[in-house]
Amino acid sequence: GAGVSQSPSNKVTEKGKDVELRCDPISGHTALYWYRQRLGQGLEFLIYFQGNSAPDKSGLPSDRFSAERTGESVSTLTIQRTQQEDSAVYLCASSRTVSGNTIYFGEGSWLTVV
Amino acid sequence: QKEVEQNSGPLSVPEGAIASLNCTYSDRGSQSFFWYRQYSGKSPELIMSIYSNGDKEDGRFTAQLNKASQYVSLLIRDSQPSDSATYLCAVILSGGSYIPTFGRGTSLIVHP
């Protein structure tokens, strides 16, 4: 596709439910990143995938968060047993390579936990 | 110590003026620097990247990098109300991780 595509764009869920967020990177981009941005806050790194290498999960805030990516295609971020503090926009980004290359963001998935 | 720091602002400038946005970083070995603009409720969009010391110009935007002093700045000439947004500085720190670290952003308000 022309840009990074994320779905759903908006999600309202009840506390305790699981949610799944999807990201489709720009075609040909090998690196994929997930960030979280709470209202009025900065971007918080969550996880990074590069090709078939083991992902860098150092930013995941708890074991309720997990992500997968198949090859160099779609990634899914899963949040289990959602809590109110999980409410945020989840931004996916991709880049062509890792060596200093620019990352491009999708429009984000806005998650509200009630 | 935060790795990438920006003044949160808001920075208020009149239309037509030059807006100057600054960013400092703690890792002297950093090599890649980016400026993003984020409108309220939207995702960040790239303005420009810079990798070498000095100035890099793109239209009304100029990025300035000084690795010795560990700062990168963004100048916006002839500021317009449509430039009102939060400007995010991102740095790829040294150490083998290629993950951009973002500052908290500076809110810019351009008033007519």
Coordinates of all heavy atoms in Angstrom, one line a residue, chain A residues 15-83:
Chain A
K15 N -13.1 -3.0 30.4 CA -12.0 -3.5 31.2 C -12.0 -5.0 31.3 O -13.1 -5.6 31.6 CB -12.1 -2.8 32.6 CG -11.0 -3.2 33.5 CD -11.2 -2.4 34.9 CE -10.2 -2.9 35.9 NZ -10.4 -2.3 37.2
G16 N -10.8 -5.6 31.2 CA -10.7 -7.0 31.3 C -10.8 -7.8 30.0 O -10.4 -9.0 29.9
K17 N -11.3 -7.1 28.9 CA -11.4 -7.8 27.6 C -10.0 -7.7 26.9 O -9.2 -6.9 27.2 CB -12.4 -7.1 26.7 CG -13.8 -7.1 27.3 CD -14.5 -8.4 27.2 CE -15.9 -8.4 27.5 NZ -16.6 -9.7 27.5
D18 N -9.8 -8.6 26.0 CA -8.6 -8.6 25.1 C -8.9 -7.8 23.9 O -10.0 -7.8 23.4 CB -8.2 -10.1 24.7 CG -7.9 -10.9 25.9 OD1 -7.8 -10.4 27.1 OD2 -7.7 -12.1 25.7
V19 N -7.9 -7.2 23.4 CA -8.0 -6.4 22.1 C -6.8 -6.8 21.2 O -5.7 -7.1 21.7 CB -8.1 -4.9 22.3 CG1 -9.3 -4.5 23.0 CG2 -6.8 -4.4 22.9
E20 N -7.1 -6.7 19.9 CA -6.1 -7.0 18.9 C -6.0 -5.8 17.9 O -7.0 -5.4 17.4 CB -6.5 -8.3 18.2 CG -5.3 -9.0 17.5 CD -5.8 -10.4 17.0 OE1 -6.3 -10.5 15.9 OE2 -5.6 -11.3 17.8
L21 N -4.8 -5.3 17.7 CA -4.6 -4.2 16.8 C -3.7 -4.6 15.7 O -2.7 -5.3 15.9 CB -4.0 -3.0 17.6 CG -4.7 -2.6 18.9 CD1 -3.9 -1.5 19.5 CD2 -6.1 -2.1 18.6
R22 N -4.1 -4.2 14.5 CA -3.4 -4.7 13.3 C -2.6 -3.6 12.6 O -3.1 -2.4 12.5 CB -4.4 -5.3 12.4 CG -3.9 -5.8 11.0 CD -5.0 -6.2 10.1 NE -4.6 -6.4 8.7 CZ -4.4 -7.6 8.2 NH1 -4.6 -8.7 8.8 NH2 -4.0 -7.6 6.9
C23 N -1.5 -3.9 12.0 CA -0.7 -3.0 11.3 C -0.2 -3.6 10.0 O 0.4 -4.7 10.0 CB 0.5 -2.5 12.1 SG 1.7 -1.4 11.2
D24 N -0.4 -2.9 8.9 CA 0.1 -3.4 7.6 C 1.2 -2.4 7.1 O 0.8 -1.2 6.8 CB -1.0 -3.5 6.6 CG -0.7 -4.3 5.4 OD1 0.5 -4.6 5.2 OD2 -1.6 -4.6 4.6
P25 N 2.4 -2.7 7.1 CA 3.5 -1.7 6.8 C 3.5 -1.3 5.3 O 2.9 -2.0 4.5 CB 4.8 -2.4 7.2 CG 4.5 -3.9 7.0 CD 3.0 -4.0 7.4
I26 N 4.3 -0.3 5.0 CA 4.5 0.0 3.6 C 5.3 -1.1 2.9 O 6.2 -1.7 3.5 CB 5.4 1.3 3.6 CG1 4.6 2.5 4.1 CG2 5.8 1.6 2.1 CD1 5.4 3.8 4.3
S27 N 4.8 -1.4 1.7 CA 5.4 -2.5 1.0 C 6.9 -2.3 0.8 O 7.4 -1.3 0.4 CB 4.7 -2.6 -0.4 OG 5.3 -3.7 -1.1
G28 N 7.7 -3.4 1.2 CA 9.1 -3.3 1.0 C 9.8 -2.9 2.3 O 11.1 -2.9 2.3
H29 N 9.1 -2.4 3.3 CA 9.7 -2.0 4.5 C 10.0 -3.2 5.4 O 9.0 -3.9 5.7 CB 8.8 -1.0 5.2 CG 8.9 0.4 4.7 ND1 8.5 1.5 5.3 CD2 9.5 0.9 3.5 CE1 8.7 2.6 4.6 NE2 9.3 2.2 3.5
T30 N 11.2 -3.3 5.8 CA 11.6 -4.5 6.6 C 11.4 -4.3 8.1 O 11.3 -5.3 8.8 CB 13.0 -4.9 6.3 OG1 13.9 -3.9 6.6 CG2 13.2 -5.3 4.8
A31 N 11.5 -3.1 8.5 CA 11.4 -2.8 10.0 C 10.0 -2.3 10.3 O 9.4 -1.5 9.6 CB 12.5 -1.7 10.3
L32 N 9.5 -2.7 11.5 CA 8.2 -2.3 11.9 C 8.3 -2.0 13.4 O 8.9 -2.7 14.2 CB 7.2 -3.4 11.6 CG 5.7 -3.1 11.9 CD1 4.8 -3.9 10.9 CD2 5.3 -3.4 13.3
Y33 N 7.6 -0.9 13.8 CA 7.7 -0.4 15.2 C 6.3 -0.2 15.7 O 5.4 0.3 15.0 CB 8.4 0.9 15.3 CG 9.8 1.0 14.6 CD1 9.8 1.1 13.2 CD2 10.9 1.0 15.3 CE1 11.1 1.2 12.5 CE2 12.2 1.1 14.7 CZ 12.2 1.2 13.3 OH 13.4 1.3 12.6
W34 N 6.1 -0.4 17.0 CA 4.9 -0.1 17.7 C 5.2 0.9 18.8 O 6.2 0.7 19.6 CB 4.2 -1.3 18.3 CG 3.4 -2.2 17.4 CD1 3.9 -3.3 16.8 CD2 2.1 -2.0 16.9 NE1 2.9 -3.9 16.1 CE2 1.8 -3.1 16.1 CE3 1.1 -1.0 17.1 CZ2 0.5 -3.2 15.5 CZ3 -0.1 -1.1 16.5 CH2 -0.4 -2.3 15.7
Y35 N 4.5 2.0 18.8 CA 4.6 3.0 19.9 C 3.2 3.2 20.5 O 2.2 3.0 19.9 CB 5.1 4.4 19.3 CG 6.5 4.4 18.9 CD1 6.9 4.0 17.7 CD2 7.5 4.9 19.8 CE1 8.3 4.1 17.3 CE2 8.8 5.0 19.4 CZ 9.2 4.6 18.1 OH 10.5 4.7 17.8
R36 N 3.3 3.7 21.7 CA 2.0 4.1 22.4 C 2.1 5.6 22.8 O 3.2 6.1 23.2 CB 1.8 3.3 23.7 CG 0.6 3.6 24.5 CD 0.4 2.6 25.6 NE 1.4 2.7 26.7 CZ 1.3 2.0 27.8 NH1 0.4 1.1 28.0 NH2 2.2 2.1 28.7
Q37 N 1.0 6.3 22.7 CA 1.0 7.7 23.0 C -0.3 7.9 23.8 O -1.4 7.9 23.3 CB 1.0 8.6 21.8 CG 1.1 10.1 22.2 CD 1.3 10.9 20.9 OE1 0.7 10.7 19.9 NE2 2.1 12.0 21.1
R38 N -0.1 8.2 25.1 CA -1.3 8.5 26.0 C -1.6 10.0 25.7 O -0.8 10.8 25.2 CB -1.0 8.3 27.4 CG -0.8 6.8 27.8 CD -0.7 6.6 29.3 NE -0.8 5.3 29.7 CZ 0.1 4.6 30.3 NH1 1.3 5.1 30.4 NH2 0.0 3.3 30.6
L39 N -2.8 10.4 26.0 CA -3.3 11.7 25.8 C -2.4 12.8 26.4 O -2.1 12.7 27.6 CB -4.7 11.9 26.3 CG -5.5 13.1 25.9 CD1 -5.7 13.1 24.4 CD2 -6.8 13.2 26.7
G40 N -1.9 13.6 25.5 CA -1.0 14.7 26.0 C 0.4 14.3 26.3 O 1.1 15.1 26.9
Q41 N 0.7 13.1 26.0 CA 2.1 12.6 26.4 C 2.9 12.3 25.1 O 2.4 12.5 24.0 CB 1.9 11.3 27.2 CG 1.1 11.4 28.4 CD 1.7 12.3 29.4 OE1 2.9 12.2 29.8 NE2 0.9 13.3 29.9
G42 N 4.2 12.0 25.3 CA 5.1 11.7 24.2 C 4.9 10.2 23.7 O 4.0 9.5 24.2
L43 N 5.7 9.9 22.7 CA 5.7 8.5 22.2 C 6.5 7.6 23.0 O 7.7 7.8 23.3 CB 6.2 8.6 20.7 CG 5.2 8.9 19.6 CD1 4.7 10.3 19.7 CD2 5.8 8.5 18.3
E44 N 5.9 6.5 23.4 CA 6.5 5.5 24.2 C 6.8 4.2 23.3 O 5.8 3.6 22.8 CB 5.6 5.2 25.4 CG 6.0 4.1 26.3 CD 5.0 3.8 27.3 OE1 3.9 4.4 27.3 OE2 5.2 2.9 28.2
F45 N 8.0 3.8 23.2 CA 8.3 2.7 22.3 C 7.8 1.4 23.0 O 7.9 1.2 24.2 CB 9.8 2.6 22.2 CG 10.3 1.3 21.7 CD1 10.1 0.9 20.4 CD2 11.0 0.4 22.5 CE1 10.5 -0.4 19.9 CE2 11.4 -0.9 22.1 CZ 11.2 -1.2 20.8
L46 N 7.2 0.5 22.2 CA 6.8 -0.8 22.7 C 7.6 -1.9 22.2 O 8.2 -2.7 23.0 CB 5.3 -1.0 22.3 CG 4.3 0.0 22.9 CD1 2.9 -0.3 22.4 CD2 4.3 0.0 24.4
I47 N 7.6 -2.1 20.9 CA 8.3 -3.3 20.3 C 8.7 -3.0 18.9 O 8.2 -2.1 18.2 CB 7.3 -4.5 20.3 CG1 8.1 -5.8 19.9 CG2 6.1 -4.3 19.4 CD1 7.2 -7.1 20.2
Y48 N 9.8 -3.7 18.4 CA 10.3 -3.5 17.1 C 10.7 -4.8 16.4 O 11.2 -5.7 17.1 CB 11.5 -2.6 17.3 CG 12.7 -2.8 16.3 CD1 12.6 -2.4 15.0 CD2 13.9 -3.3 16.8 CE1 13.7 -2.6 14.2 CE2 15.0 -3.5 16.0 CZ 14.9 -3.1 14.7 OH 16.0 -3.3 13.9
F49 N 10.3 -4.9 15.2 CA 10.6 -6.1 14.4 C 11.5 -5.7 13.2 O 11.3 -4.7 12.6 CB 9.3 -6.7 13.7 CG 8.3 -7.2 14.7 CD1 7.3 -6.3 15.3 CD2 8.3 -8.5 15.2 CE1 6.4 -6.8 16.2 CE2 7.4 -9.0 16.1 CZ 6.4 -8.1 16.6
Q50 N 12.5 -6.5 12.9 CA 13.3 -6.3 11.7 C 13.5 -7.7 11.0 O 14.2 -8.6 11.5 CB 14.7 -5.8 12.1 CG 15.8 -5.8 11.1 CD 15.4 -5.2 9.8 OE1 14.5 -4.3 9.7 NE2 16.0 -5.6 8.7
G51 N 12.9 -7.8 9.9 CA 12.9 -9.0 9.1 C 12.6 -10.2 9.9 O 11.6 -10.2 10.6
N52 N 13.4 -11.2 9.8 CA 13.2 -12.4 10.5 C 14.0 -12.5 11.8 O 14.0 -13.6 12.5 CB 13.6 -13.6 9.6 CG 12.6 -13.7 8.5 OD1 11.4 -13.6 8.6 ND2 13.2 -14.0 7.3
S53 N 14.6 -11.4 12.3 CA 15.3 -11.4 13.5 C 14.3 -11.4 14.7 O 13.2 -11.1 14.6 CB 16.2 -10.1 13.6 OG 17.1 -10.1 12.6
A54 N 14.9 -11.8 15.9 CA 14.0 -11.8 17.1 C 13.6 -10.4 17.4 O 14.4 -9.4 17.3 CB 14.8 -12.4 18.2
P55 N 12.4 -10.1 17.7 CA 11.9 -8.8 18.0 C 12.5 -8.2 19.2 O 12.9 -8.9 20.2 CB 10.4 -8.9 18.1 CG 10.2 -10.4 18.5 CD 11.3 -11.1 17.8
D56 N 12.6 -6.9 19.3 CA 13.1 -6.2 20.5 C 11.8 -5.8 21.3 O 11.1 -4.9 20.9 CB 13.8 -4.9 20.1 CG 14.4 -4.1 21.3 OD1 13.8 -4.2 22.4 OD2 15.4 -3.4 21.1
K57 N 11.6 -6.5 22.4 CA 10.4 -6.3 23.2 C 10.6 -5.5 24.4 O 9.8 -5.5 25.3 CB 9.9 -7.7 23.6 CG 9.6 -8.7 22.5 CD 9.1 -10.0 23.1 CE 8.9 -11.1 22.0 NZ 8.4 -12.4 22.6
S58 N 11.7 -4.8 24.4 CA 12.2 -4.1 25.6 C 11.2 -3.0 26.1 O 11.2 -2.6 27.3 CB 13.6 -3.5 25.5 OG 13.6 -2.6 24.4
G59 N 10.3 -2.5 25.2 CA 9.4 -1.5 25.6 C 8.0 -2.0 26.1 O 7.3 -1.2 26.6
L60 N 7.8 -3.2 26.0 CA 6.4 -3.7 26.4 C 6.3 -3.5 27.9 O 7.1 -3.9 28.7 CB 6.3 -5.2 26.0 CG 6.3 -5.5 24.6 CD1 6.1 -7.0 24.3 CD2 5.1 -4.8 23.8
P61 N 5.2 -2.9 28.3 CA 5.0 -2.5 29.7 C 4.7 -3.6 30.7 O 4.9 -3.5 31.9 CB 3.9 -1.4 29.7 CG 3.1 -1.7 28.4 CD 4.1 -2.3 27.5
S62 N 4.1 -4.7 30.2 CA 3.8 -5.8 31.0 C 3.5 -7.0 30.2 O 3.5 -7.0 28.9 CB 2.5 -5.5 31.8 OG 1.3 -5.6 31.0
D63 N 3.4 -8.2 30.8 CA 3.2 -9.4 30.1 C 1.8 -9.5 29.5 O 1.4 -10.5 28.8 CB 3.5 -10.6 30.9 CG 2.6 -10.7 32.2 OD1 1.7 -9.9 32.3 OD2 2.9 -11.6 33.0
R64 N 1.0 -8.5 29.7 CA -0.4 -8.5 29.1 C -0.2 -8.0 27.6 O -1.2 -8.2 26.8 CB -1.3 -7.5 29.8 CG -1.6 -7.9 31.2 CD -2.7 -7.0 31.8 NE -2.3 -5.6 31.9 CZ -2.7 -4.6 31.2 NH1 -3.6 -4.9 30.2 NH2 -2.3 -3.4 31.4
F65 N 0.9 -7.5 27.3 CA 1.1 -7.0 25.9 C 2.0 -8.0 25.1 O 3.0 -8.5 25.7 CB 1.9 -5.7 25.9 CG 1.1 -4.5 26.4 CD1 0.7 -4.4 27.7 CD2 0.6 -3.5 25.5 CE1 -0.1 -3.3 28.2 CE2 -0.1 -2.5 25.9 CZ -0.5 -2.3 27.3
S66 N 1.6 -8.3 23.9 CA 2.4 -9.1 23.1 C 2.2 -8.7 21.6 O 1.2 -8.0 21.3 CB 2.0 -10.6 23.2 OG 0.7 -10.8 22.8
A67 N 3.1 -9.1 20.8 CA 3.0 -8.7 19.3 C 3.6 -9.8 18.5 O 4.6 -10.5 18.9 CB 3.6 -7.4 19.1
E68 N 3.1 -9.9 17.3 CA 3.6 -10.9 16.4 C 3.8 -10.2 15.0 O 3.1 -9.2 14.7 CB 2.7 -12.1 16.2 CG 2.6 -12.9 17.5 CD 1.7 -14.1 17.2 OE1 1.0 -14.2 16.2 OE2 1.7 -15.0 18.1
R69 N 4.7 -10.7 14.2 CA 4.8 -10.3 12.8 C 5.2 -11.5 12.0 O 6.2 -12.2 12.4 CB 5.8 -9.2 12.7 CG 5.8 -8.6 11.2 CD 6.9 -7.6 11.1 NE 6.8 -7.0 9.8 CZ 7.8 -6.2 9.2 NH1 8.9 -6.0 9.9 NH2 7.6 -5.7 8.0
T70 N 4.6 -11.7 10.9 CA 4.9 -12.8 10.0 C 5.8 -12.3 8.9 O 5.3 -11.5 8.1 CB 3.6 -13.5 9.4 OG1 2.8 -13.9 10.5 CG2 4.0 -14.7 8.6
G71 N 7.1 -12.7 8.9 CA 8.0 -12.2 7.9 C 8.1 -10.7 7.9 O 8.4 -10.1 8.9
E72 N 7.9 -10.1 6.7 CA 8.0 -8.7 6.6 C 6.6 -8.1 6.3 O 6.5 -7.1 5.6 CB 9.0 -8.3 5.5 CG 10.4 -8.8 5.9 CD 11.4 -8.4 4.8 OE1 11.0 -7.9 3.7 OE2 12.6 -8.7 5.0
S73 N 5.6 -8.8 6.8 CA 4.2 -8.3 6.5 C 3.5 -7.8 7.7 O 4.1 -7.2 8.6 CB 3.5 -9.4 5.8 OG 3.3 -10.5 6.7
V74 N 2.3 -8.2 7.8 CA 1.4 -7.6 8.9 C 1.8 -8.0 10.3 O 2.4 -9.0 10.5 CB 0.0 -8.2 8.6 CG1 -1.0 -7.8 9.8 CG2 -0.6 -7.6 7.3
S75 N 1.6 -7.0 11.2 CA 1.9 -7.2 12.6 C 0.6 -7.1 13.4 O -0.3 -6.3 13.0 CB 2.9 -6.2 13.1 OG 3.1 -6.4 14.5
T76 N 0.5 -7.8 14.5 CA -0.6 -7.7 15.4 C -0.1 -7.5 16.8 O 0.7 -8.2 17.3 CB -1.4 -9.0 15.3 OG1 -1.9 -9.3 14.0 CG2 -2.7 -8.9 16.2
L77 N -0.7 -6.4 17.4 CA -0.4 -6.1 18.8 C -1.6 -6.6 19.6 O -2.7 -6.1 19.3 CB -0.1 -4.6 19.0 CG 0.1 -4.1 20.4 CD1 1.4 -4.7 21.0 CD2 0.1 -2.6 20.5
T78 N -1.4 -7.4 20.6 CA -2.5 -7.9 21.4 C -2.3 -7.4 22.9 O -1.2 -7.5 23.4 CB -2.5 -9.5 21.4 OG1 -2.7 -9.9 20.1 CG2 -3.6 -10.0 22.3
I79 N -3.4 -6.9 23.4 CA -3.4 -6.5 24.8 C -4.4 -7.4 25.5 O -5.6 -7.4 25.2 CB -3.8 -5.0 25.0 CG1 -2.9 -4.1 24.1 CG2 -3.6 -4.6 26.5 CD1 -3.3 -2.7 24.1
Q80 N -4.0 -8.1 26.5 CA -4.9 -9.0 27.2 C -5.4 -8.3 28.5 O -4.7 -7.5 29.1 CB -4.2 -10.3 27.6 CG -3.8 -11.1 26.4 CD -3.0 -12.4 26.8 OE1 -2.1 -12.4 27.5 NE2 -3.5 -13.5 26.3
R81 N -6.6 -8.7 28.9 CA -7.1 -8.2 30.2 C -6.9 -6.7 30.3 O -6.3 -6.2 31.2 CB -6.5 -8.9 31.4 CG -6.6 -10.4 31.3 CD -6.0 -11.1 32.5 NE -4.6 -10.8 32.6 CZ -3.6 -11.3 32.0 NH1 -3.8 -12.2 31.0 NH2 -2.3 -11.0 32.2
T82 N -7.5 -6.0 29.4 CA -7.2 -4.5 29.3 C -7.6 -3.8 30.6 O -8.5 -4.2 31.3 CB -8.0 -3.9 28.1 OG1 -9.4 -4.3 28.2 CG2 -7.5 -4.3 26.8
Q83 N -6.8 -2.8 30.8 CA -7.0 -1.9 32.0 C -7.2 -0.5 31.5 O -6.9 -0.1 30.4 CB -5.7 -1.9 32.9 CG -5.4 -3.3 33.4 CD -6.4 -3.9 34.3 OE1 -6.9 -3.3 35.2 NE2 -6.8 -5.2 34.0

